[in-house]
Amino acid sequence: MKTPKYHLTATLSALSIFALVAALSSNAFSQAASSSSSSTSSSSSSSTSSSSGGVNALYWSVTAPICPEFSDATVIGENADGDAQVDPDNVIDAMVVYQSFSLLGGPSIGSNTVIEYANGSGLTLPMALVDDELQLIREIDFPPTDGWDDWRELSYDSYRAGQLNLVALSPNGGPNLGSITSTIIINTNDPSGWGGGYGNGNCPTTKPAPVAEAPAISCSLGDSSVWNSGYVLSNIVVTNTGDTAITQWDAKLRFNTAPQLAHAWNANATEIDNTIDLQPLSWNQRIEPGQSASFGLMGYHNNNFVEPTCTATTIAFEE
């Protein structure tokens, strides 16, 4: 089974480590740091503390820079920390590779991830966040900004340490990209609390190489029924147009306003901003070549319904 279309050769070079390790004792936080020189910009880590509602919290953050030499992208500048900012190639599967890092601790009372980006395309550009084995972590939609040099921060709750990559899911490629910063929030009221993180400055020693091509997949809306305050999309169809079986897929409906989802059938549906993300059920996640899976949904609108666009992605398949 494969998850998109690249494989990273994981032969690691000598580590360049900026390490921060912490332990709590009587609610006092002690930290030690060590570093060694490197020929590349290394991931950086930091901690801050705050108190709210009687809960003392420590925020541990690690920033992972891009590895430009192993990314399908052109360097266009640097951020304030001197880390590369890149323009991914305008093709599906263009991959931006990040340095690996560690981040852990507890008891955790929250976490988040922040990605630097600029998107002057006027379009929402989807990318897949994958790990070093190309396993899907999550899909991320990058909304438009006010130009290719208008840098914003896209954030979401949760984080994933290790070696991360962003892969374009659109023929338009992805937005301009900068560093990824991951943070865990530790409850320092707990005497057992601890936290730490470090970036090792490590990039893959070879450029990601293509592997088996994922089967193509298409999505069509079918008929829609619209009335004053509601709508039904009763026959959305995802079709395997490739030559091998798809074993996991994902579909996204992108609306011009919040879709106000009420109900869905034959798929698990999640509303995120102006998008409905659709995941298959156990019985329709496998689609043989030339076959389809169909599902539907209903929702509400404020007399301004416009049919959404539908895109589908092959998550895993058989060779």
Side-chain angles (χ1 to χ4, degrees), residues 16 56 91 105 121 131 160 226 245 281 310:
S16 169
N56 295 310
V91 293
S121 70
D131 63 17
R160 177 73 168 267
V226 183
L281 304 179
C310 181

Side-chain angles (χ1 to χ4, degrees), residues 13-28:
S13 60
L15 299 182
S16 169
I17 300 177
F18 180 79
L20 290 174
V21 181
L24 278 173
S25 176
S26 301
N27 288 338

Side-chain angles (χ1 to χ4, degrees), residues 26-95:
S26 301
N27 288 338
F29 200 85
S30 63
Q31 58 186 21
S34 65
S35 65
S36 62
S37 62
S38 170
S39 60
T40 60
S41 174
S42 297
S43 309
S44 61
S45 57
S46 63
S47 65
T48 59
S49 60
S50 68
S51 178
S52 176
V55 176
N56 295 310
L58 185 78
Y59 294 71
W60 267 103
S61 298
V62 177
T63 296
I66 292 169
C67 301
E69 64 273 35
F70 301 110
S71 298
D72 301 318
T74 301
V75 176
I76 56 173
E78 294 181 346
N79 63 16
D81 296 321
D83 298 329
Q85 295 172 324
V86 303
D87 175 13
D89 296 345
N90 291 335
V91 293
I92 293 178
D93 298 323
M95 179 183 290

Side-chain angles (χ1 to χ4, degrees), residues 219-250:
C219 181
S220 61
L221 285 179
D223 295 330
S224 60
S225 177
V226 183
W227 60 96
N228 289 343
S229 60
Y231 66 90
V232 173
L233 301 173
S234 60
N235 191 33
I236 306 167
V237 178
V238 170
T239 302
N240 180 351
T241 59
D243 298 324
T244 55
I246 294 171
T247 56
Q248 185 63 271
W249 52 270
D250 172 271

